[in-house]
Amino acid sequence: MLREFPPPPRAAEFSELIKKRLEEVRAVGGTRETVTVDWNGQQAHVEVIDLPLSGLYFNPGTHRIRAQRSHDAVRDEMLEKDPWSAESQDYLRYLLQARPTNPDVRDVEFDKLKEDLKAFGQNEPGLVTHYGVLVNGNTRAVALGELGAQSMRVGVLPESFTWADIYAVELSLQLRQDQRRDYTFINRLLAMEEQASLGKTPEQIAKEFRIKTTTYHQARWILSTIKDLNERSKSGGGAALRLVDWEAAQESLKELQRLYVKLQSLDRDQAEILKEWRLAAILLDFSKTDIRHIDQDFLKEDYLSRTLPTSLAAEGGAAAQPKAVAVPGLGLAVPAASSRVSAARALNDQILRATAIAKAPDLPDSEKAKAQELFKEAQDAFNEAIDQAGRDGRVRKRKQLAPARLADACASIDQCVIELVQARTSQSFDEEAFDEAVLKLRESLRKLAQQSGRGIPNPGDGVSWLLAAVAAEGTQ
């Protein structure tokens, strides 16, 4: 998982420059500026020097833009082959100033950083290897370059540092709570996966990231799901979804994982269907409040089948499903997914491929238009189904409000009994205040009885008792 990059061009020459600058700083004497880094559970203080920006390299392995590199597959492939070329470094520079959720747009946070540097200068030094590769401060280096700065203050890591050490230091710096910009959602998931590939336990990784172990497992589930979806989105024309396409879906994916885990042990088919439908809704750009309507009631009432176009519905579930699937090499068979699960998955596959084609830059307009038409049909169907589910949900909620209020009142009365006994025991009972409260209760029960008896020809035992009690009280 860890990528070992070769030394950049002029590495030896730049290393000599760094050594010379360090010697000059030490020769001056007095208090020298240092920066503290966490390494192997210990703190190391490395000296800070001024280095020319033109000689520094952006880090091709930085976690900050790991997912964003998938924005342009051609340039990413070029970056993999030669990370130190001018073209590759330009691509890294471009991504470092771009919006994480949409690299086509410049990030407003980058411009804020640039304005801060212009007004106050560089307060915190960056961090660089002995070869001149930036470990921390890549974004600041881009901003300083745009401001016309010629040099940058950087702490120099020990010459013995390997790429594993570099990754570890970058991660520890990022996980400090005083950092201005956190890793983006997907890049954080990738960083956790990388730590797992090094053999660290979930408990160790959770501690490093300052999260619960359950949150770590949630992160791994989400990343695994995203990678599977990207694979499923591949079309014959080479289009496929990218990691960066999921940056804005953080909250919806977390809510999906919680729902899936909750339902999986009760009804796996139900969990799988709702998973596919919610993922489809995420792709179709629905808000998380809309996506929440895709729940057990949404499945039970089968809202989507009422609105789904015949073309999408037919492709989604027409084929007969096998009852079992053989496991290669074991001579065993496991139950196949139900027809409804297969239909939900097939529907989502269509939406995945259509989304990938619509986002692809180099496909024919006719193919993109067809994909966009399918996307719009699916979006309209989901919108109508979600809207109906929302209306029905609000009706159900209104129906449940009155019983819920009465249940709360019962709980309060039960607590009142306990507190009444305690007050009498401690001889602190206020009889007059209690009597006044009981009179208010009587009036409230009268009003409740009046409304409960309206329009109910055959009231149940509870309402019958309430009506009789209030009627008897009125005759006294």
Side-chain angles (χ1 to χ4, degrees), residues 231-243:
E231 187 65 28
R232 288 165 55 187
S233 72
K234 291 181 179 178
S235 65
L241 289 174
R242 309 155 301 176
L243 289 172

Side-chain angles (χ1 to χ4, degrees), residues 38-80:
D38 296 319
W39 179 51
N40 289 339
Q42 298 179 343
Q43 288 192 330
H45 304 283
V46 300
E47 291 181 295
V48 175
I49 58 175
D50 243 40
L51 287 176
L53 273 173
S54 59
L56 298 176
Y57 287 93
F58 300 118
N59 182 4
T62 179
H63 295 88
R64 186 174 296 285
I65 53 171
R66 185 75 59 83
Q68 285 66 34
R69 283 180 48 178
S70 63
H71 172 66
D72 187 324
V74 175
R75 297 176 80 180
D76 187 35
E77 184 179 357
M78 179 176 59
L79 181 59
E80 280 292 315

